[in-house]
Amino acid sequence: MNWLELVGWAGSALLVWSLLQTRILRLRALNLVGCLILIGYNAAVQVWPMVGLNVVLAVINIWYLRKMLATRHDEQTYQAVEVGVGDQFLAHTLRVHAADIARFNPAFRWESHAADRSAFLVVKADEVVGVVLSHAEADGIAQIDLDYVTPRFRDFTPGEFVYRRSSLFTDRGFRRVVSPPGMIAPYYHRLGFRPEGGSYVLDLPTPAGV
C-alpha cells in the first residue's frame, strides 16, 4: 500500500468517524475534512464521479457550518423559556437525560418542592437543547443547580441565553450567579464568568432605575 492509498483510507475512515459523532457541529466539521481529503485522493487517481460526490458533500457541510456558526448567538434561534419547577415535561427531560446529566453533574439533586427555585428550558424551535435549574440564596445570589446541554448542541453555549441575553435573573433582583458545584468540564469562561473559590461567578448588571 503506497502513501496515496493511505490518504484515501484515512479520508474514508474520517468520514465514517464523523457519522458516529453526537455533536452536530463536530459531525459537520469532521465530515467536511474527510470530504476534502477524498476530493484530493480521487482527483489524484482520476475517479471523477467520486470527486463530484465529495465536492457536493463538502458544499453541503460548508453551508450547514456557516448557518450554525452564524446563528449560535442568535436570540431568534435559541430562546430561554421558564417552566414550573414541577412541570411534567421538565421532569420527563430530566429522566430522559439522567445518565448524561449525572456524568457531567455528579452532585446534582433536584428538589422541585423546595422554595425559591426556578427552571428554564433553552429551546431551538420546538427542540430542547438545554436545561438550567437554580435556587435563591442570601445576598442576591442565584445558585445554579444544573446547567445541562444536550449532546447534539454541546459545541455551542446555549446557557448564554439564560445568563447574558435575558433579564431572567436581574428581574428577580439577583446580583450574582454562581455555577453548579462539582460540574465537570464547565464552559463559563466563555460567558464572562470569573473563577472564584472552585466555582464560576457572574456579576449581573444593576437594573435601570434601581
Side-chain angles (χ1 to χ4, degrees):
M1 182 181 296
N2 58 39
W3 68 269
L4 188 57
E5 290 178 327
L6 287 174
V7 170
W9 280 110
S12 297
L14 187 57
L15 212 62
V16 172
W17 187 42
S18 72
L19 298 177
L20 300 176
Q21 305 302 309
T22 56
R23 301 187 184 189
I24 188 169
L25 183 64
R26 183 176 299 181
L27 184 155
R28 289 291 179 186
L30 291 173
N31 199 276
L32 174 60
V33 174
C35 288
L36 294 175
I37 292 173
L38 290 175
I39 288 171
Y41 169 75
N42 286 296
V45 297
Q46 299 184 347
V47 183
W48 303 116
M50 294 304 296
V51 171
L53 172 63
N54 283 283
V55 166
V56 171
L57 293 176
V59 170
I60 291 173
N61 281 315
I62 290 171
W63 188 85
Y64 275 106
L65 282 168
R66 288 188 61 184
K67 183 178 180 180
M68 285 187 287
L69 293 173
T71 60
R72 67 188 306 176
H73 303 296
D74 184 8
E75 294 180 25
Q76 301 303 314
T77 302
Y78 300 94
Q79 297 180 351
V81 179
E82 184 174 9
V83 297
V85 294
D87 184 85
Q88 290 300 307
F89 184 71
L90 170 64
H92 170 74
T93 302
L94 295 177
R95 283 195 301 269
V96 168
H97 298 282
D100 198 40
I101 289 172
R103 176 185 171 197
F104 292 95
N105 299 269
F108 171 65
R109 299 292 183 274
W110 178 240
E111 299 177 2
S112 60
H113 60 277
D116 297 323
R117 294 188 178 271
S118 300
F120 305 96
L121 297 178
V122 183
V123 298
K124 179 182 180 184
D126 60 352
E127 180 179 6
V128 175
V129 303
V131 180
V132 175
L133 307 176
S134 68
H135 71 270
E137 292 195 347
D139 301 321
I141 294 176
Q143 173 63 59
I144 304 301
D145 298 295
L146 176 67
D147 183 345
Y148 174 73
V149 179
T150 58
R152 273 174 26 93
F153 293 88
R154 202 156 286 158
D155 289 322
F156 302 91
T157 55
E160 72 176 280
F161 298 97
V162 175
Y163 305 124
R164 301 187 65 187
R165 295 300 184 93
S166 72
S167 56
L168 296 175
F169 290 105
T170 56
D171 284 352
R172 290 165 168 77
F174 290 112
R175 299 183 297 105
R176 178 177 293 188
V177 178
V178 180
S179 67
M183 182 178 179
I184 297 173
Y187 65 101
Y188 296 101
H189 59 284
R190 290 188 275 171
L191 300 180
F193 283 67
R194 56 182 172 80
E196 183 179 289
S199 297
Y200 287 85
V201 174
L202 176 67
D203 294 311
L204 299 172
T206 302
V210 176

mmCIF file of all heavy atoms in Angstrom, residues 55-100:
data_model
loop_
_atom_site.group_PDB
_atom_site.id
_atom_site.type_symbol
_atom_site.label_atom_id
_atom_site.label_comp_id
_atom_site.label_asym_id
_atom_site.label_seq_id
_atom_site.Cartn_x
_atom_site.Cartn_y
_atom_site.Cartn_z
ATOM 1 N N VAL A 55 -17.310 16.801 -3.630
ATOM 2 C CA VAL A 55 -17.441 18.248 -3.767
ATOM 3 C C VAL A 55 -18.833 18.683 -3.314
ATOM 4 O O VAL A 55 -18.992 19.670 -2.578
ATOM 5 C CB VAL A 55 -17.178 18.693 -5.222
ATOM 6 C CG1 VAL A 55 -17.645 20.140 -5.432
ATOM 7 C CG2 VAL A 55 -15.697 18.579 -5.551
ATOM 8 N N VAL A 56 -19.847 17.946 -3.758
ATOM 9 C CA VAL A 56 -21.220 18.274 -3.359
ATOM 10 C C VAL A 56 -21.383 18.150 -1.840
ATOM 11 O O VAL A 56 -21.965 19.028 -1.188
ATOM 12 C CB VAL A 56 -22.224 17.356 -4.082
ATOM 13 C CG1 VAL A 56 -23.628 17.544 -3.511
ATOM 14 C CG2 VAL A 56 -22.226 17.648 -5.570
ATOM 15 N N LEU A 57 -20.860 17.069 -1.261
ATOM 16 C CA LEU A 57 -20.963 16.876 0.181
ATOM 17 C C LEU A 57 -20.217 17.967 0.946
ATOM 18 O O LEU A 57 -20.682 18.438 1.986
ATOM 19 C CB LEU A 57 -20.418 15.502 0.572
ATOM 20 C CG LEU A 57 -21.219 14.294 0.082
ATOM 21 C CD1 LEU A 57 -20.513 12.999 0.461
ATOM 22 C CD2 LEU A 57 -22.638 14.329 0.655
ATOM 23 N N ALA A 58 -19.060 18.374 0.423
ATOM 24 C CA ALA A 58 -18.298 19.439 1.069
ATOM 25 C C ALA A 58 -19.077 20.754 1.054
ATOM 26 O O ALA A 58 -19.111 21.488 2.053
ATOM 27 C CB ALA A 58 -16.945 19.616 0.385
ATOM 28 N N VAL A 59 -19.707 21.063 -0.058
ATOM 29 C CA VAL A 59 -20.503 22.292 -0.156
ATOM 30 C C VAL A 59 -21.667 22.261 0.827
ATOM 31 O O VAL A 59 -21.969 23.258 1.494
ATOM 32 C CB VAL A 59 -21.013 22.492 -1.604
ATOM 33 C CG1 VAL A 59 -22.029 23.630 -1.659
ATOM 34 C CG2 VAL A 59 -19.848 22.775 -2.538
ATOM 35 N N ILE A 60 -22.317 21.094 0.948
ATOM 36 C CA ILE A 60 -23.430 20.956 1.897
ATOM 37 C C ILE A 60 -22.936 21.171 3.326
ATOM 38 O O ILE A 60 -23.571 21.882 4.121
ATOM 39 C CB ILE A 60 -24.082 19.567 1.752
ATOM 40 C CG1 ILE A 60 -24.803 19.467 0.409
ATOM 41 C CG2 ILE A 60 -25.052 19.302 2.903
ATOM 42 C CD1 ILE A 60 -25.336 18.073 0.096
ATOM 43 N N ASN A 61 -21.796 20.574 3.660
ATOM 44 C CA ASN A 61 -21.244 20.745 5.007
ATOM 45 C C ASN A 61 -20.884 22.197 5.280
ATOM 46 O O ASN A 61 -21.134 22.716 6.376
ATOM 47 C CB ASN A 61 -20.010 19.857 5.190
ATOM 48 C CG ASN A 61 -20.368 18.413 5.469
ATOM 49 O OD1 ASN A 61 -21.244 18.131 6.285
ATOM 50 N ND2 ASN A 61 -19.704 17.490 4.802
ATOM 51 N N ILE A 62 -20.284 22.870 4.316
ATOM 52 C CA ILE A 62 -19.917 24.275 4.484
ATOM 53 C C ILE A 62 -21.166 25.122 4.700
ATOM 54 O O ILE A 62 -21.190 26.015 5.553
ATOM 55 C CB ILE A 62 -19.122 24.781 3.262
ATOM 56 C CG1 ILE A 62 -17.733 24.132 3.241
ATOM 57 C CG2 ILE A 62 -18.987 26.298 3.283
ATOM 58 C CD1 ILE A 62 -16.958 24.391 1.965
ATOM 59 N N TRP A 63 -22.219 24.836 3.953
ATOM 60 C CA TRP A 63 -23.454 25.596 4.088
ATOM 61 C C TRP A 63 -24.045 25.442 5.492
ATOM 62 O O TRP A 63 -24.424 26.429 6.134
ATOM 63 C CB TRP A 63 -24.458 25.136 3.039
ATOM 64 C CG TRP A 63 -25.688 25.984 2.989
ATOM 65 C CD1 TRP A 63 -25.876 27.150 2.307
ATOM 66 C CD2 TRP A 63 -26.939 25.738 3.669
ATOM 67 N NE1 TRP A 63 -27.144 27.646 2.517
ATOM 68 C CE2 TRP A 63 -27.821 26.798 3.341
ATOM 69 C CE3 TRP A 63 -27.384 24.713 4.513
ATOM 70 C CZ2 TRP A 63 -29.119 26.871 3.842
ATOM 71 C CZ3 TRP A 63 -28.685 24.795 5.016
ATOM 72 C CH2 TRP A 63 -29.529 25.855 4.673
ATOM 73 N N TYR A 64 -24.085 24.204 5.993
ATOM 74 C CA TYR A 64 -24.630 23.973 7.330
ATOM 75 C C TYR A 64 -23.729 24.557 8.416
ATOM 76 O O TYR A 64 -24.221 25.106 9.414
ATOM 77 C CB TYR A 64 -24.841 22.479 7.568
ATOM 78 C CG TYR A 64 -26.159 21.972 7.052
ATOM 79 C CD1 TYR A 64 -26.233 21.197 5.896
ATOM 80 C CD2 TYR A 64 -27.343 22.262 7.717
ATOM 81 C CE1 TYR A 64 -27.452 20.737 5.415
ATOM 82 C CE2 TYR A 64 -28.568 21.800 7.244
ATOM 83 C CZ TYR A 64 -28.619 21.046 6.097
ATOM 84 O OH TYR A 64 -29.822 20.597 5.626
ATOM 85 N N LEU A 65 -22.411 24.452 8.248
ATOM 86 C CA LEU A 65 -21.499 25.018 9.240
ATOM 87 C C LEU A 65 -21.643 26.529 9.328
ATOM 88 O O LEU A 65 -21.666 27.102 10.421
ATOM 89 C CB LEU A 65 -20.055 24.641 8.889
ATOM 90 C CG LEU A 65 -19.628 23.218 9.245
ATOM 91 C CD1 LEU A 65 -18.296 22.874 8.596
ATOM 92 C CD2 LEU A 65 -19.535 23.051 10.763
ATOM 93 N N ARG A 66 -21.732 27.188 8.183
ATOM 94 C CA ARG A 66 -21.913 28.639 8.180
ATOM 95 C C ARG A 66 -23.221 29.019 8.862
ATOM 96 O O ARG A 66 -23.277 29.986 9.637
ATOM 97 C CB ARG A 66 -21.893 29.182 6.753
ATOM 98 C CG ARG A 66 -20.519 29.169 6.093
ATOM 99 C CD ARG A 66 -20.554 29.900 4.769
ATOM 100 N NE ARG A 66 -20.929 31.298 4.955
ATOM 101 C CZ ARG A 66 -21.118 32.154 3.953
ATOM 102 N NH1 ARG A 66 -21.002 31.743 2.702
ATOM 103 N NH2 ARG A 66 -21.450 33.401 4.201
ATOM 104 N N LYS A 67 -24.267 28.269 8.596
ATOM 105 C CA LYS A 67 -25.568 28.555 9.200
ATOM 106 C C LYS A 67 -25.522 28.366 10.713
ATOM 107 O O LYS A 67 -26.034 29.202 11.473
ATOM 108 C CB LYS A 67 -26.624 27.648 8.581
ATOM 109 C CG LYS A 67 -28.036 27.925 9.085
ATOM 110 C CD LYS A 67 -29.048 27.029 8.393
ATOM 111 C CE LYS A 67 -30.467 27.304 8.905
ATOM 112 N NZ LYS A 67 -31.466 26.437 8.248
ATOM 113 N N MET A 68 -24.895 27.282 11.163
ATOM 114 C CA MET A 68 -24.817 27.021 12.598
ATOM 115 C C MET A 68 -23.968 28.059 13.317
ATOM 116 O O MET A 68 -24.336 28.543 14.391
ATOM 117 C CB MET A 68 -24.258 25.617 12.849
ATOM 118 C CG MET A 68 -25.255 24.503 12.568
ATOM 119 S SD MET A 68 -24.642 22.873 13.050
ATOM 120 C CE MET A 68 -23.442 22.575 11.766
ATOM 121 N N LEU A 69 -22.834 28.418 12.736
ATOM 122 C CA LEU A 69 -21.956 29.391 13.373
ATOM 123 C C LEU A 69 -22.558 30.791 13.355
ATOM 124 O O LEU A 69 -22.350 31.582 14.273
ATOM 125 C CB LEU A 69 -20.588 29.388 12.680
ATOM 126 C CG LEU A 69 -19.779 28.107 12.857
ATOM 127 C CD1 LEU A 69 -18.512 28.141 12.002
ATOM 128 C CD2 LEU A 69 -19.417 27.889 14.327
ATOM 129 N N ALA A 70 -23.322 31.097 12.317
ATOM 130 C CA ALA A 70 -23.931 32.420 12.213
ATOM 131 C C ALA A 70 -25.084 32.600 13.190
ATOM 132 O O ALA A 70 -25.403 33.727 13.571
ATOM 133 C CB ALA A 70 -24.411 32.665 10.786
ATOM 134 N N THR A 71 -25.719 31.492 13.606
ATOM 135 C CA THR A 71 -26.892 31.596 14.479
ATOM 136 C C THR A 71 -26.619 31.127 15.906
ATOM 137 O O THR A 71 -27.542 31.110 16.723
ATOM 138 C CB THR A 71 -28.062 30.770 13.908
ATOM 139 O OG1 THR A 71 -27.672 29.389 13.802
ATOM 140 C CG2 THR A 71 -28.455 31.276 12.529
ATOM 141 N N ARG A 72 -25.377 30.800 16.239
ATOM 142 C CA ARG A 72 -25.102 30.239 17.555
ATOM 143 C C ARG A 72 -25.357 31.240 18.678
ATOM 144 O O ARG A 72 -25.582 30.854 19.823
ATOM 145 C CB ARG A 72 -23.664 29.714 17.626
ATOM 146 C CG ARG A 72 -22.604 30.772 17.559
ATOM 147 C CD ARG A 72 -21.215 30.160 17.438
ATOM 148 N NE ARG A 72 -20.933 29.195 18.469
ATOM 149 C CZ ARG A 72 -19.827 28.475 18.533
ATOM 150 N NH1 ARG A 72 -18.906 28.596 17.584
ATOM 151 N NH2 ARG A 72 -19.629 27.623 19.519
ATOM 152 N N HIS A 73 -25.330 32.551 18.373
ATOM 153 C CA HIS A 73 -25.614 33.573 19.384
ATOM 154 C C HIS A 73 -26.895 34.343 19.061
ATOM 155 O O HIS A 73 -27.100 35.439 19.570
ATOM 156 C CB HIS A 73 -24.445 34.548 19.476
ATOM 157 C CG HIS A 73 -23.126 33.883 19.788
ATOM 158 N ND1 HIS A 73 -22.875 33.226 20.975
ATOM 159 C CD2 HIS A 73 -21.995 33.767 19.044
ATOM 160 C CE1 HIS A 73 -21.639 32.734 20.956
ATOM 161 N NE2 HIS A 73 -21.096 33.044 19.804
ATOM 162 N N ASP A 74 -27.745 33.766 18.238
ATOM 163 C CA ASP A 74 -28.930 34.462 17.738
ATOM 164 C C ASP A 74 -30.128 34.217 18.657
ATOM 165 O O ASP A 74 -30.549 33.081 18.852
ATOM 166 C CB ASP A 74 -29.245 33.979 16.316
ATOM 167 C CG ASP A 74 -30.407 34.722 15.695
ATOM 168 O OD1 ASP A 74 -30.874 35.703 16.289
ATOM 169 O OD2 ASP A 74 -30.842 34.308 14.607
ATOM 170 N N GLU A 75 -30.676 35.300 19.205
ATOM 171 C CA GLU A 75 -31.824 35.182 20.094
ATOM 172 C C GLU A 75 -33.070 34.703 19.368
ATOM 173 O O GLU A 75 -34.017 34.231 20.001
ATOM 174 C CB GLU A 75 -32.101 36.522 20.774
ATOM 175 C CG GLU A 75 -30.998 36.961 21.726
ATOM 176 C CD GLU A 75 -31.321 38.290 22.379
ATOM 177 O OE1 GLU A 75 -32.519 38.624 22.485
ATOM 178 O OE2 GLU A 75 -30.398 39.000 22.782
ATOM 179 N N GLN A 76 -33.102 34.846 18.049
ATOM 180 C CA GLN A 76 -34.238 34.346 17.281
ATOM 181 C C GLN A 76 -34.151 32.841 17.062
ATOM 182 O O GLN A 76 -35.137 32.195 16.717
ATOM 183 C CB GLN A 76 -34.304 35.059 15.919
ATOM 184 C CG GLN A 76 -34.443 36.560 16.008
ATOM 185 C CD GLN A 76 -35.679 36.975 16.802
ATOM 186 O OE1 GLN A 76 -36.763 36.436 16.604
ATOM 187 N NE2 GLN A 76 -35.507 37.929 17.704
ATOM 188 N N THR A 77 -32.951 32.286 17.251
ATOM 189 C CA THR A 77 -32.752 30.850 17.061
ATOM 190 C C THR A 77 -32.900 30.082 18.363
ATOM 191 O O THR A 77 -33.515 29.014 18.406
ATOM 192 C CB THR A 77 -31.363 30.584 16.460
ATOM 193 O OG1 THR A 77 -31.252 31.296 15.213
ATOM 194 C CG2 THR A 77 -31.149 29.101 16.201
ATOM 195 N N TYR A 78 -32.331 30.634 19.442
ATOM 196 C CA TYR A 78 -32.397 29.982 20.748
ATOM 197 C C TYR A 78 -33.121 30.898 21.732
ATOM 198 O O TYR A 78 -32.848 32.090 21.792
ATOM 199 C CB TYR A 78 -30.991 29.688 21.277
ATOM 200 C CG TYR A 78 -30.180 28.788 20.378
ATOM 201 C CD1 TYR A 78 -29.315 29.317 19.431
ATOM 202 C CD2 TYR A 78 -30.278 27.399 20.479
ATOM 203 C CE1 TYR A 78 -28.571 28.494 18.593
ATOM 204 C CE2 TYR A 78 -29.538 26.575 19.657
ATOM 205 C CZ TYR A 78 -28.690 27.128 18.720
ATOM 206 O OH TYR A 78 -27.951 26.317 17.897
ATOM 207 N N GLN A 79 -34.008 30.329 22.504
ATOM 208 C CA GLN A 79 -34.764 31.100 23.474
ATOM 209 C C GLN A 79 -34.809 30.370 24.808
ATOM 210 O O GLN A 79 -34.832 29.137 24.852
ATOM 211 C CB GLN A 79 -36.193 31.356 22.973
ATOM 212 C CG GLN A 79 -36.255 32.190 21.700
ATOM 213 C CD GLN A 79 -37.686 32.419 21.235
ATOM 214 O OE1 GLN A 79 -38.629 31.827 21.770
ATOM 215 N NE2 GLN A 79 -37.851 33.265 20.244
ATOM 216 N N ALA A 80 -34.814 31.157 25.881
ATOM 217 C CA ALA A 80 -34.957 30.603 27.226
ATOM 218 C C ALA A 80 -36.414 30.732 27.653
ATOM 219 O O ALA A 80 -36.974 31.822 27.657
ATOM 220 C CB ALA A 80 -34.046 31.346 28.198
ATOM 221 N N VAL A 81 -37.020 29.606 27.995
ATOM 222 C CA VAL A 81 -38.434 29.571 28.371
ATOM 223 C C VAL A 81 -38.538 29.091 29.809
ATOM 224 O O VAL A 81 -38.072 27.993 30.148
ATOM 225 C CB VAL A 81 -39.224 28.626 27.440
ATOM 226 C CG1 VAL A 81 -40.687 28.573 27.869
ATOM 227 C CG2 VAL A 81 -39.095 29.075 25.993
ATOM 228 N N GLU A 82 -39.146 29.908 30.664
ATOM 229 C CA GLU A 82 -39.323 29.499 32.055
ATOM 230 C C GLU A 82 -40.478 28.512 32.156
ATOM 231 O O GLU A 82 -41.525 28.676 31.522
ATOM 232 C CB GLU A 82 -39.582 30.699 32.947
ATOM 233 C CG GLU A 82 -39.671 30.324 34.417
ATOM 234 C CD GLU A 82 -39.778 31.516 35.331
ATOM 235 O OE1 GLU A 82 -39.961 32.643 34.830
ATOM 236 O OE2 GLU A 82 -39.669 31.312 36.558
ATOM 237 N N VAL A 83 -40.273 27.472 32.948
ATOM 238 C CA VAL A 83 -41.327 26.479 33.209
ATOM 239 C C VAL A 83 -41.448 26.301 34.715
ATOM 240 O O VAL A 83 -40.551 26.681 35.483
ATOM 241 C CB VAL A 83 -41.013 25.123 32.535
ATOM 242 C CG1 VAL A 83 -40.975 25.267 31.030
ATOM 243 C CG2 VAL A 83 -39.699 24.542 33.055
ATOM 244 N N GLY A 84 -42.541 25.729 35.149
ATOM 245 C CA GLY A 84 -42.707 25.456 36.568
ATOM 246 C C GLY A 84 -41.741 24.397 37.048
ATOM 247 O O GLY A 84 -41.396 23.467 36.301
ATOM 248 N N VAL A 85 -41.312 24.523 38.283
ATOM 249 C CA VAL A 85 -40.326 23.562 38.802
ATOM 250 C C VAL A 85 -40.914 22.158 38.906
ATOM 251 O O VAL A 85 -40.178 21.173 38.942
ATOM 252 C CB VAL A 85 -39.782 24.024 40.172
ATOM 253 C CG1 VAL A 85 -38.983 25.305 40.027
ATOM 254 C CG2 VAL A 85 -40.914 24.206 41.172
ATOM 255 N N GLY A 86 -42.253 22.058 38.939
ATOM 256 C CA GLY A 86 -42.894 20.754 38.972
ATOM 257 C C GLY A 86 -43.468 20.353 37.627
ATOM 258 O O GLY A 86 -44.249 19.389 37.544
ATOM 259 N N ASP A 87 -43.066 21.057 36.571
ATOM 260 C CA ASP A 87 -43.593 20.805 35.229
ATOM 261 C C ASP A 87 -43.291 19.369 34.789
ATOM 262 O O ASP A 87 -42.176 18.868 34.956
ATOM 263 C CB ASP A 87 -42.961 21.794 34.248
ATOM 264 C CG ASP A 87 -43.527 21.654 32.853
ATOM 265 O OD1 ASP A 87 -44.568 22.248 32.573
ATOM 266 O OD2 ASP A 87 -42.902 20.937 32.036
ATOM 267 N N GLN A 88 -44.290 18.706 34.216
ATOM 268 C CA GLN A 88 -44.127 17.313 33.825
ATOM 269 C C GLN A 88 -43.157 17.143 32.651
ATOM 270 O O GLN A 88 -42.421 16.152 32.585
ATOM 271 C CB GLN A 88 -45.497 16.719 33.449
ATOM 272 C CG GLN A 88 -46.419 16.542 34.641
ATOM 273 C CD GLN A 88 -45.824 15.600 35.680
ATOM 274 O OE1 GLN A 88 -45.429 14.481 35.370
ATOM 275 N NE2 GLN A 88 -45.748 16.067 36.916
ATOM 276 N N PHE A 89 -43.146 18.113 31.735
ATOM 277 C CA PHE A 89 -42.202 17.994 30.621
ATOM 278 C C PHE A 89 -40.773 18.186 31.101
ATOM 279 O O PHE A 89 -39.854 17.512 30.624
ATOM 280 C CB PHE A 89 -42.523 19.017 29.533
ATOM 281 C CG PHE A 89 -41.649 18.893 28.313
ATOM 282 C CD1 PHE A 89 -41.796 17.812 27.445
ATOM 283 C CD2 PHE A 89 -40.659 19.820 28.043
ATOM 284 C CE1 PHE A 89 -40.981 17.673 26.342
ATOM 285 C CE2 PHE A 89 -39.844 19.693 26.934
ATOM 286 C CZ PHE A 89 -40.003 18.615 26.083
ATOM 287 N N LEU A 90 -40.572 19.091 32.071
ATOM 288 C CA LEU A 90 -39.246 19.241 32.673
ATOM 289 C C LEU A 90 -38.829 17.934 33.334
ATOM 290 O O LEU A 90 -37.683 17.477 33.148
ATOM 291 C CB LEU A 90 -39.263 20.376 33.690
ATOM 292 C CG LEU A 90 -38.017 20.505 34.565
ATOM 293 C CD1 LEU A 90 -36.793 20.846 33.726
ATOM 294 C CD2 LEU A 90 -38.238 21.563 35.647
ATOM 295 N N ALA A 91 -39.720 17.334 34.088
ATOM 296 C CA ALA A 91 -39.402 16.059 34.753
ATOM 297 C C ALA A 91 -39.068 14.984 33.727
ATOM 298 O O ALA A 91 -38.135 14.189 33.922
ATOM 299 C CB ALA A 91 -40.584 15.623 35.625
ATOM 300 N N HIS A 92 -39.805 14.967 32.624
ATOM 301 C CA HIS A 92 -39.533 13.999 31.559
ATOM 302 C C HIS A 92 -38.146 14.221 30.966
ATOM 303 O O HIS A 92 -37.386 13.267 30.738
ATOM 304 C CB HIS A 92 -40.598 14.122 30.476
ATOM 305 C CG HIS A 92 -40.291 13.356 29.225
ATOM 306 N ND1 HIS A 92 -40.385 11.981 29.139
ATOM 307 C CD2 HIS A 92 -39.858 13.778 27.992
ATOM 308 C CE1 HIS A 92 -40.041 11.591 27.926
ATOM 309 N NE2 HIS A 92 -39.721 12.658 27.217
ATOM 310 N N THR A 93 -37.802 15.485 30.705
ATOM 311 C CA THR A 93 -36.489 15.807 30.141
ATOM 312 C C THR A 93 -35.370 15.367 31.070
ATOM 313 O O THR A 93 -34.360 14.796 30.632
ATOM 314 C CB THR A 93 -36.377 17.323 29.863
ATOM 315 O OG1 THR A 93 -37.426 17.721 28.979
ATOM 316 C CG2 THR A 93 -35.035 17.674 29.253
ATOM 317 N N LEU A 94 -35.536 15.607 32.361
ATOM 318 C CA LEU A 94 -34.520 15.203 33.334
ATOM 319 C C LEU A 94 -34.394 13.679 33.404
ATOM 320 O O LEU A 94 -33.286 13.155 33.572
ATOM 321 C CB LEU A 94 -34.858 15.768 34.716
ATOM 322 C CG LEU A 94 -34.835 17.296 34.849
ATOM 323 C CD1 LEU A 94 -35.256 17.720 36.248
ATOM 324 C CD2 LEU A 94 -33.446 17.850 34.513
ATOM 325 N N ARG A 95 -35.511 12.966 33.259
ATOM 326 C CA ARG A 95 -35.456 11.498 33.280
ATOM 327 C C ARG A 95 -34.753 10.959 32.034
ATOM 328 O O ARG A 95 -33.912 10.052 32.121
ATOM 329 C CB ARG A 95 -36.870 10.916 33.366
ATOM 330 C CG ARG A 95 -37.508 10.987 34.732
ATOM 331 C CD ARG A 95 -38.721 10.066 34.805
ATOM 332 N NE ARG A 95 -39.724 10.407 33.800
ATOM 333 C CZ ARG A 95 -40.719 11.254 34.004
ATOM 334 N NH1 ARG A 95 -40.839 11.867 35.176
ATOM 335 N NH2 ARG A 95 -41.602 11.494 33.041
ATOM 336 N N VAL A 96 -35.102 11.499 30.874
ATOM 337 C CA VAL A 96 -34.525 11.006 29.622
ATOM 338 C C VAL A 96 -33.010 11.174 29.613
ATOM 339 O O VAL A 96 -32.269 10.301 29.139
ATOM 340 C CB VAL A 96 -35.160 11.741 28.418
ATOM 341 C CG1 VAL A 96 -34.376 11.460 27.136
ATOM 342 C CG2 VAL A 96 -36.612 11.323 28.241
ATOM 343 N N HIS A 97 -32.531 12.292 30.151
ATOM 344 C CA HIS A 97 -31.099 12.590 30.106
ATOM 345 C C HIS A 97 -30.401 12.330 31.450
ATOM 346 O O HIS A 97 -29.293 12.825 31.667
ATOM 347 C CB HIS A 97 -30.887 14.050 29.692
ATOM 348 C CG HIS A 97 -31.401 14.368 28.326
ATOM 349 N ND1 HIS A 97 -30.723 14.027 27.167
ATOM 350 C CD2 HIS A 97 -32.542 14.997 27.921
ATOM 351 C CE1 HIS A 97 -31.405 14.429 26.117
ATOM 352 N NE2 HIS A 97 -32.509 15.020 26.534
ATOM 353 N N ALA A 98 -31.030 11.556 32.315
ATOM 354 C CA ALA A 98 -30.498 11.375 33.671
ATOM 355 C C ALA A 98 -29.063 10.852 33.687
ATOM 356 O O ALA A 98 -28.218 11.352 34.432
ATOM 357 C CB ALA A 98 -31.413 10.434 34.455
ATOM 358 N N ALA A 99 -28.762 9.856 32.867
ATOM 359 C CA ALA A 99 -27.415 9.279 32.867
ATOM 360 C C ALA A 99 -26.380 10.293 32.392
ATOM 361 O O ALA A 99 -25.289 10.394 32.968
ATOM 362 C CB ALA A 99 -27.380 8.037 31.979
ATOM 363 N N ASP A 100 -26.708 11.050 31.356
ATOM 364 C CA ASP A 100 -25.773 12.053 30.841
ATOM 365 C C ASP A 100 -25.630 13.214 31.812
ATOM 366 O O ASP A 100 -24.544 13.764 31.980
ATOM 367 C CB ASP A 100 -26.264 12.548 29.479
ATOM 368 C CG ASP A 100 -25.173 13.237 28.679
ATOM 369 O OD1 ASP A 100 -24.025 12.751 28.698
ATOM 370 O OD2 ASP A 100 -25.454 14.271 28.043
#
